[in-house]
Amino acid sequence: MAVRKELVLYYTPEKSADDQKLKGVLVRLGIRIRNVTPEQIHQKVGYLAGLSGFEETPDTEQNEAEKKKAGKKEEGQQEKEFSGGNAPAQIPEKVLVLHGFGERKLNEMLNQFRKAKVPPIALKAVLTEHNCGWSFYELYQELRQEHEKMNAGGGISE
């Protein structure tokens, strides 16, 4: 049986004491952590997770592709995502992207987060074939939209 090596891509806009709680749980469970910095949000999620076949994308290439994609979105949403005309994209909230988890390990991690009183992180995703080619920022945008739809429809957010 192959050894499963779980990985969490973790983005936070600013450091807090809760980060240490979250990372403490991950370390105790033997889960690898990769901090995603604001400078890396335009990299493909597959690259950030260390998947083969994904290489680092030069900033200018990725920014241009995302600007074109953002230009196709509704004007109102674009204003929320960008603070100004040519301002760089930003992610204002915490995001977790999980890779290599089985159901048991995922449940164990979430239970340990609760026990350690790690505040809930609304934007979580599992790395899939479908989203591994997206930039971290594109994945964030998708998670944000899904979260808003679930909350607007009275769905469960956590």
Side-chain angles (χ1 to χ4, degrees):
M1 185 172 150
V3 175
R4 187 172 278 227
K5 211 44 181 155
E6 300 89 3
L7 169 71
V8 169
L9 298 177
Y10 179 56
Y11 176 86
T12 183
E14 52 190 46
K15 305 280 184 232
S16 73
D18 294 326
D19 296 341
Q20 293 311 314
K21 291 181 196 175
L22 180 139
K23 290 178 180 182
V25 168
L26 296 176
V27 168
R28 281 193 302 278
L29 294 175
I31 298 169
R32 294 178 300 144
I33 308 160
R34 170 105 195 248
N35 294 310
V36 177
T37 65
E39 297 78 28
Q40 294 174 311
I41 65 171
H42 297 293
Q43 295 298 324
K44 301 233 182 282
V45 182
Y47 166 75
L48 294 171
L51 300 181
S52 62
F54 291 92
E55 295 181 8
E56 187 171 13
T57 306
D59 257 355
T60 53
E61 245 178 68
Q62 195 65 31
N63 283 333
E64 289 305 314
E66 286 177 8
K67 281 181 189 174
K68 285 180 186 174
K69 187 173 183 177
K72 294 177 184 175
K73 294 184 183 239
E74 296 176 40
E75 288 297 317
Q77 183 170 353
Q78 188 174 346
E79 287 172 19
K80 284 185 203 171
E81 293 167 355
F82 297 102
S83 57
N86 291 328
Q90 296 179 354
I91 300 176
E93 53 202 312
K94 295 180 185 214
V95 180
L96 285 179
V97 179
L98 313 173
H99 175 60
F101 280 79
E103 187 176 347
R104 187 181 343 174
K105 191 73 166 200
L106 175 62
N107 288 331
E108 182 181 7
M109 179 188 74
L110 295 174
N111 286 332
Q112 291 299 317
F113 282 169
R114 280 190 281 280
K115 284 182 183 176
K117 295 186 171 46
V118 174
I121 296 174
L123 303 182
K124 294 185 277 299
V126 173
L127 188 63
T128 67
E129 272 184 38
H130 178 69
N131 65 22
C132 65
W134 297 359
S135 73
F136 195 86
Y137 186 70
E138 289 170 323
L139 180 57
Y140 160 74
Q141 289 176 311
E142 183 69 22
L143 290 171
R144 171 86 336 257
Q145 287 176 356
E146 287 176 9
H147 185 72
E148 287 172 5
K149 284 178 188 172
M150 284 178 64
N151 286 337
I156 299 172
S157 64
E158 300 300 319

